Amino acid sequence: MEGEPVNVNEFQELARQALPKMYYDYYSGGAEDQYTLKENVEAFRRITFRPRILVDVSRINFSTTVLGYKISAPIMVAPSAMHKLAHPEGEIATARAAAASNTIMVLSSMSSCSIEEVASSCNAIRFFQLYVYKNRDVAAQLVQRAERNGYKAIVLTVDAPMLGRREADIKNKMIVPPIKNLEGLVSTEVDNDEGSILEGFANGALDTSLCWRDIGWLRSITNLPILIKGVLTREDAIKATEVGVAGIVVSNHGARQLDYTPATITVLEEVVHAVGGKVPVFLDGGVRRGTDVFKALALGAQAVLIGRPVVYGLAAKGEYGVRKVFQMLKDELELTMALSGCPNVKDITRSHVKTEHEKIHSML
């Protein structure tokens, strides 16, 4: 690839060149046939625009708020594990890039850098992503550490009672490097000669009994708002509001858990309608362009989270690469808003996009 990348997708190839195969496959891969992995991206391409003309777009403002915190654009850092596999500075570089981009980073509990290291690296609004382990006290300690270190919300991942079958990781015998947050709490030593060591660790450690009533337990041990990440249906969206979550992330775990789940953008509207404005709804999965961000907002998301693009930027060019990824998406979003006749985020409405379902319906 000649010169600097001109879009987020080009960072993926730079990351592939920069990383050992095991690590690149870990970040880029999905579950089983990888149908959902492809579909997360492709589904965005089937949504088209209905732009408005002759609107004053001399000033574009795409800033927004998430749980009351102002961010420069409706694009946040999704939680993803083990950033030191991508770059020696790991989540410290990612956190600094997020702070420089004036957005919120969700730190993974499976991060290479600790809750405390990331908190002290720079001043910014941060959330903490939580897995619940068989030893519930581990989760309680992680939540208390996050709260003590100034994290502003807990993002509970609810779609991983077991790890999805990621066949590239099985072939590569994917390792488990040191997980800073779990040191002294959970052993990452696993005897698994047959395949992914990571899968063996996760399936030995994760609490398969986690259920709806445990949201009450989590609320009882923290004052922080709780978002749940991994909702794909109307039924679960309704239950989530009933148990008192502060927000919902429509997510299929980057297509890394259950293959043949729908692309997140195709079920976003179902979740938004079910919630009925009671709590904000966010989306991750497949966002690669500013046009994708606009489409998600038009279908009811308050903001999107990006995972792989952040890791690819980090692998290719460190902190600068992550900043560049955010700047590219912001620039594309600004252009999309201007060409669609939307000077502000609140001007983006459902009537600005047409989904595949509507196209089929209009032909009947």
Side-chain angles (χ1 to χ4, degrees), residues 59 72 79 83 105 114 183 242 265 270 319 330 350:
R59 283 201 184 124
S72 62
H83 284 197
M105 174 183 179
S114 71
E183 280 180 1
E242 289 171 352
I265 193 65
E270 175 184 330
E319 179 187 332
K330 285 179 178 179
R350 181 63 179 81

Side-chain angles (χ1 to χ4, degrees), residues 48-50 52 294 340 342 347-353:
T48 53
F49 292 123
R50 302 182 69 250
R52 307 293 191 279
F294 185 103
S340 298
C342 299
D347 298 320
I348 302 172
T349 68
R350 181 63 179 81
S351 67
H352 283 96
V353 295

Side-chain angles (χ1 to χ4, degrees), residues 19-298:
L19 292 174
K21 183 177 187 298
M22 177 189 282
Y23 299 167
Y24 176 77
D25 287 354
Y26 168 71
Y27 287 130
S28 65
E32 296 187 355
D33 298 328
Q34 302 191 124
Y35 166 82
T36 300
L37 182 69
K38 299 180 192 81
E39 186 65 7
N40 268 354
V41 173
E42 289 298 322
F44 274 106
R45 296 177 180 173
R46 296 193 293 270
I47 300 169
T48 53
F49 292 123
R50 302 182 69 250
R52 307 293 191 279
I53 57 170
L54 294 174
V55 176
D56 180 357
V57 290
S58 55
R59 283 201 184 124
I60 301 290
N61 177 12
F62 45 69
S63 65
T64 191
T65 58
V66 170
L67 300 187
Y69 301 106
K70 188 166 184 180
I71 55 176
S72 62
I75 310 164
M76 301 186 288
V77 178
S80 57
M82 304 184 289
H83 284 197
K84 278 193 178 177
L85 298 185
H87 189 273
E89 292 176 5
E91 289 82 4
I92 301 283
T94 309
R96 287 178 176 153
S101 305
N102 191 16
T103 192
I104 293 168
M105 174 183 179
V106 185
L107 180 70
S108 169
S109 57
M110 295 277 288
S111 54
S112 314
C113 303
S114 71
I115 290 167
E116 293 79 9
E117 286 169 338
V118 173
S120 61
S121 67
C122 56
N123 188 26
I125 302 297
R126 272 180 290 271
F127 297 169
F128 179 70
Q129 176 271 336
L130 180 71
Y131 287 112
V132 176
Y133 299 93
K134 287 190 170 85
N135 179 355
R136 291 282 174 97
D137 190 48
V138 172
Q141 286 189 50
L142 292 174
V143 167
Q144 284 151 16
R145 284 167 58 190
E147 194 162 354
R148 200 163 57 237
N149 284 277
Y151 291 71
K152 302 300 185 189
I154 300 298
V155 179
L156 176 67
T157 296
V158 293
D159 58 7
M162 298 179 179
L163 209 66
R165 184 176 171 81
R166 305 164 192 176
E167 293 176 0
D169 291 350
I170 294 169
K171 285 180 181 174
N172 293 332
K173 297 189 177 349
M174 179 61 193
I175 60 164
V176 183
I179 307 295
K180 244 351 200 338
N181 291 324
L182 301 181
E183 280 180 1
L185 297 173
V186 178
S187 171
T188 55
E189 296 294 314
V190 175
D191 183 21
N192 187 9
D193 295 334
E194 296 304 307
S196 167
I197 298 166
L198 176 67
E199 185 181 334
F201 158 70
N203 290 343
L206 294 172
D207 187 349
T208 53
S209 74
L210 188 71
C211 59
W212 284 107
R213 68 172 175 270
D214 295 318
I215 306 295
W217 162 76
L218 187 55
R219 290 180 70 193
S220 76
I221 64 168
T222 182
N223 294 315
L224 295 178
I226 296 162
L227 293 82
I228 64 168
K229 175 178 173 289
V231 173
L232 292 171
T233 64
R234 174 181 176 278
E235 294 87 341
D236 282 343
I238 291 168
K239 279 184 179 172
T241 59
E242 289 171 352
V243 298
V245 303
I248 289 171
V249 183
V250 175
S251 173
N252 53 34
H253 211 110
R256 295 160 74 78
Q257 283 299 100
L258 178 63
D259 201 14
Y260 297 95
T261 53
T264 48
I265 193 65
T266 66
V267 295
L268 172 61
E269 216 170 5
E270 175 184 330
V271 171
V272 168
H273 288 163
V275 167
K278 293 188 188 80
V279 296
V281 177
F282 307 95
L283 172 136
D284 74 11
V287 175
R288 299 294 183 271
R289 287 276 189 185
T291 50
D292 298 336
V293 180
F294 185 103
K295 290 168 184 179
L297 298 181

Side-chain angles (χ1 to χ4, degrees), residues 301-339:
Q302 186 161 346
V304 302
L305 297 92
I306 55 170
R308 286 186 181 90
V310 165
V311 171
Y312 295 150
L314 182 66
K317 293 176 182 287
E319 179 187 332
Y320 169 80
V322 180
R323 289 167 71 161
K324 193 78 176 158
V325 162
F326 271 98
Q327 195 56 53
M328 284 174 172
L329 291 174
K330 285 179 178 179
D331 290 347
E332 291 175 4
L333 176 60
E334 181 177 31
L335 182 60
T336 306
M337 288 171 67
L339 296 179

